[in-house]
Every structure is written in structure tokens, then in C-alpha cells.
């Protein structure tokens, strides 16, 4: 049985549709990430699960029990808010104890649970401090401890790392994932950060405009995106609008022509190709002719932005050796591009997508 099940969940604010018919099951001990741009409906979905927003339609089940219209305190959930929502006048221990007091637990049990939760997040030595005396990372862990102290059936996190700097964010997301796995917590996390979702989640749910576009593992979404939006949002991708002719050649809207996999069906389509699957050679070769418009060194990879007949192509590869001709490439130099046709994905045509734009 799924620990959390959403059936045809929807939320309308007047005539505006925030969430439309979301169906999702989160298994016991699984971490699922709701991923998408701002305004896609992911936070509204999470807040409906928590009980802070009343659904317009649909059903929410936790542990097989219908909690669609139950108040937040009756849902057996623990939530970490984006702002942490710590009480500034309360000590760390008092903040962690607050939810337990609302559940009317006895003092001895409260103190035991607070101590246990603070040990889990390695803050038991700071129990008497006030939130203002803590770093951002420590405040975030207090919020985690407060949610964990109630022993929730479902753990909810709303952009929990957005207020941390990049280095701390990387460290804390690993801590959260390790803690979630060690405790076997059924977890739903909201994020707009694809790297965060890819490194933490067992499965990802990509949303846009209130709808679920695709659900799957990071590998499934990256290698087999359902559409151009997913391809462009999970990782980076060269997306080109055009059509497949009867000979299974992809004819770009701007005039280029590329081979497609044998299974491709003639008609309007989107040509999708990941930047790391493109090979680049200096000078005019037998591949697709282009010209360098920018080179970006990112440490583990170098990115080459290439103009092909007025359209942007992105190529990503490890930095070349010092003696490689690629090292000598500069902006405006001619290059040729090539790729294995097996790396190409042909996706459904979607007029609203940002197709053909440089990633």
C-alpha cells in the first residue's frame, strides 16, 4: 500500500487553475520530488497534502486513511517550511517541542523526543540557544528536528534549502537524504532546483501549469523525456522544431536536415539532443558546420556555444588536454558537429515550447 496517495487532486482559485487532476503514489520509505518552475503548482500540491490548502476536488490518503478534509494536526505529517518558521523567542529545544505540546504529549515523553530529534540532526549541544544565535544551516536542522520529533508518517519539505548558500546547500541535501534513508521516512519534497531533485529523490514528478507531465527516476526523465518541456527542464538539451519526412530525415524549420532513429514517425516533431552527446571538431569537417559564439570553462566540463545557420547549439565535454587543438579554439572559429543518431530523441511537437533556443 502506498503511504501517500493523491487521486485526481485539484485546486482552483476562482477561475485560475493552480493544480489540475494530480494522481500520485509515494511508497513507504520513498523520497519523491515535485519539480518545476515557479507557479507550476508544486507548492500548492504540497500544502494540500499538509492540510493548509483545501482541495477543490480529489482525494488525499495517508496510510490508507482519507485525510482530504482533516486539519493539519490530524494528518500525521511533519513539515519543513521554506522560511523554517522558527519562533525567535523560543530556544532550540522549545521550538522542537512545540508540535509535541500541541499534540498534548506528557513532559517526559516530550523531553525524550526532543533530545532524540536533536541528536539525529547533531544539535543536542545547542538545545538552549535561540534561533538568532544559530547559522542558517543550523536553523534549517532545527526545523528538520521539529518535523521529525512528531514521528510523522509522511515527511513534507517545501524548498528546504533555498535560503542556504551553494556549498552549504550541497552538504545539507546529502544530510537530509542520509537521514531520510536511515529512518525510512516517506517523503515528499518541493524544489525548483533540478540538481537538488536529481541527487535526493528516488523518483521525480515534473509539473508545469498545474499538471504532472512525467513521473520517473532521474535516469528515466533524463534519457527518455516525455516531451520538450521535460527534456529542457531536467538537464540541458538542444531542442529543434521541425518535421520528419517520409525518408525519416528531420527537416529543421530553419532548413537543416538530420538523420533520425529508424523508429521515427513522419510528421511535426521536436529533435532533442543532449549537449554531452555532441562531438565537436575544429575547422570545417564532414559534420554540421558551425561557428563558436562562446566558450565557458566550468571546471569538470567546458561548454561550447555554437551557431549553426543562425541557431544555437550547445556542446558539453570534459576540458581538452593542453596539447589538443580544441584548446586553441576561440570565439568565431569554425567547427563541425557530429553525433550518434542513437542519442537523438524525437519528441511530440508542442507549439508553446521554447524550441530551437540555445540551452
Amino acid at each position: 500500500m502506498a503511504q501517500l496517495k493523491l487521486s485526481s487532486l485539484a485546486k482552483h482559485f476562482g477561475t485560475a487553475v493552480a493544480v489540475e487532476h494530480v494522481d500520485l503514489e509515494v511508497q513507504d520509505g520513498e523520497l519523491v520530488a515535485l519539480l518545476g518552475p515557479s507557479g507550476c503548482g508544486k507548492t500548492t500540491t504540497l500544502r494540500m497534502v499538509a492540510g493548509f490548502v483545501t482541495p477543490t476536488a480529489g482525494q488525499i490518503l495517508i496510510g490508507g486513511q482519507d485525510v482530504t478534509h482533516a486539519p493539519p494536526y490530524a494528518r500525521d505529517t511533519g513539515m519543513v517550511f521554506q522560511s523554517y518558521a522558527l519562533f525567535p523567542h523560543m530556544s532550540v529545544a522549545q521550538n522542537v517541542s512545540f508540535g509535541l505540546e500541541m499534540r498534548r504529549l506528557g513532559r517526559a515523553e516530550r523531553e525524550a523526543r526532543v533530545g532524540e530529534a536533536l541528536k539525529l540532526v547533531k544539535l543536542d549541544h545547542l538545545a538552549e540557544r535561540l534561533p538568532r544565535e544559530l547559522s542558517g544551516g543550523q536553523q534549517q536542522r532545527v526545523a528538520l528536528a521539529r518535523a521529525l520529533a512528531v514521528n510523522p508518517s509522511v515527511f513534507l519539505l517545501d524548498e528546504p534549502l533555498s535560503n542556504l548558500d551553494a556549498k552549504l546547500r550541497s552538504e545539507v541535501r546529502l544530510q537530509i537524504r542520509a537521514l531520510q534513508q536511515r529512518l525510512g521516512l516517506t517523503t515528499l519534497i518541493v524544489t525548483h532546483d533540478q540538481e537538488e531533485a536529481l541527487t535526493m529523490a528516488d523518483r521525480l514528478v515534473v509539473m508545469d501549469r498545474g499538471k504532472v507531465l512525467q513521473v520517473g527516476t532521474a535516469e528515466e526523465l533524463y534519457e527518455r523525456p516525455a516531451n520538450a518541456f521535460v527534456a529542457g527542464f531536467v538537464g540541458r538539451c538542444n531542442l529543434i522544431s521541425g518535421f520528419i519526412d517520409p525518408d525519416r530525415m528531420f527537416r529543421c524549420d530553419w532548413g537543416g536536415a538530420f538523420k533520425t532513429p529508424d523508429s521515427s514517425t513522419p510528421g511535426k516533431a521536436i529533435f532533442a539532443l543532449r549537449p554531452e552527446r555532441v562531438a565537436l571538431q575544429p575547422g570545417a569537417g564532414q559534420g554540421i558546420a558551425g561557428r563558436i559564439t562562446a566558450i565557458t570553462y566550468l571546471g569538470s566540463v567546458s561548454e561550447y556555444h555554437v551557431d549553426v545557420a543562425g541557431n544555437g547549439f550547445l556542446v558539453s565535454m570534459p576540458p581538452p588536454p593542453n596539447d589538443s587543438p580544441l584548446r586553441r579554439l576561440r570565439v568565431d572559429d569554425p567547427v563541425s558537429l557530429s553525433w550518434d543518431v542513437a542519442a537523438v530523441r524525437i519528441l511530440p511537437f508542442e507549439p508553446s515550447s521554447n524550441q530551437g533556443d540555445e540551452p
Side-chain angles (χ1 to χ4, degrees):
M1 181 187 295
Q3 187 71 350
L4 172 64
K5 183 176 181 180
L6 311 182
S7 299
S8 298
L9 198 64
K11 180 61 183 178
H12 301 171
F13 294 98
T15 58
V17 178
V19 175
E20 186 172 0
H21 301 298
V22 169
D23 293 297
L24 177 67
E25 293 189 7
V26 183
Q27 303 302 321
D28 192 24
E30 185 181 31
L31 191 155
V32 171
L34 299 180
L35 178 67
S38 297
C40 72
K42 57 187 186 297
T43 294
T44 300
T45 300
L46 189 80
R47 292 179 70 84
M48 283 192 284
V49 174
F52 300 126
V53 172
T54 302
T56 301
Q59 189 179 47
I60 302 168
L61 299 177
I62 294 179
Q65 299 296 312
D66 188 342
V67 298
T68 310
H69 300 290
Y73 62 82
R75 294 190 178 215
D76 198 16
T77 60
M79 184 160 177
V80 178
F81 298 89
Q82 182 175 357
S83 62
Y84 310 149
L86 301 179
F87 297 108
H89 62 287
M90 291 185 181
S91 69
V92 166
Q94 289 170 332
N95 267 282
V96 175
S97 179
F98 183 79
L100 303 175
E101 293 177 26
M102 294 300 100
R103 287 166 170 78
R104 301 185 182 280
L105 269 68
R107 180 175 178 178
E109 186 175 356
R110 289 203 311 268
E111 290 178 352
R113 286 216 203 170
V114 169
E116 194 175 290
L118 288 177
K119 282 182 181 177
L120 281 173
V121 299
K122 300 179 182 178
L123 286 179
D124 46 312
H125 62 295
L126 299 178
E128 300 308 315
R129 289 198 183 178
L130 294 173
R132 67 172 178 270
E133 298 173 314
L134 304 177
S135 67
Q138 289 170 334
Q139 289 182 33
Q140 197 268 356
R141 283 188 280 158
V142 174
L144 283 174
R146 183 176 58 189
L148 292 171
V150 299
N151 292 334
S153 294
V154 176
F155 195 37
L156 306 172
L157 302 105
D158 183 13
E159 301 272 13
L161 309 180
S162 61
N163 293 326
L164 305 179
D165 62 56
K167 184 176 184 298
L168 190 56
R169 189 181 305 133
S170 178
E171 294 173 0
V172 175
R173 74 180 176 219
L174 293 176
Q175 293 171 0
I176 292 176
R177 179 57 165 159
L179 192 62
Q180 180 268 333
Q181 290 181 312
R182 180 153 57 91
L183 299 177
L185 294 169
T186 303
T187 304
L188 189 64
I189 182 172
V190 160
T191 180
H192 66 276
D193 187 319
Q194 57 175 278
E195 184 178 350
E196 191 173 297
L198 290 169
T199 55
M200 292 180 70
D202 295 301
R203 287 187 300 145
L204 292 80
V205 179
V206 179
M207 298 183 67
D208 186 40
R209 301 178 187 179
K211 296 181 179 180
V212 171
L213 300 187
Q214 190 172 357
V215 181
T217 64
E219 182 178 358
E220 287 169 347
L221 269 59
Y222 190 84
E223 298 294 343
R224 296 181 293 281
N227 53 45
F229 182 90
V230 175
F233 199 83
V234 181
R236 305 179 76 182
C237 199
N238 294 294
L239 299 170
I240 303 169
S241 178
F243 69 95
I244 300 173
D245 68 18
D247 296 324
R248 292 194 173 87
M249 288 293 290
F250 184 85
R251 303 289 175 178
C252 307
D253 286 346
W254 45 267
F258 307 138
K259 289 183 179 180
T260 66
D262 291 339
S263 58
S264 302
T265 303
K268 289 288 286 182
I270 303 299
F271 180 98
L273 184 63
R274 296 291 183 186
E276 68 274 12
R277 302 295 177 86
V278 184
L280 180 148
Q281 294 295 329
Q286 296 184 351
I288 307 299
R291 193 168 293 276
I292 296 286
T293 59
I295 301 173
T296 307
Y297 175 75
L298 298 173
S300 59
V301 297
S302 288
E303 291 185 346
Y304 299 84
H305 298 257
V306 181
D307 179 88
V308 176
N311 296 270
F313 246 91
L314 180 66
V315 182
S316 176
M317 64 177 68
N322 290 331
D323 58 351
S324 169
L326 293 172
R327 276 283 186 182
R328 296 190 288 274
L329 281 176
R330 297 292 182 267
V331 171
D332 212 34
D333 283 351
V335 292
S336 61
L337 308 179
S338 60
W339 52 81
D340 185 339
V341 70
V344 173
R345 295 288 178 266
I346 299 299
L347 304 176
F349 177 74
E350 297 172 339
S352 61
S353 297
N354 294 323
Q355 296 134 9
D357 291 343
E358 185 174 323

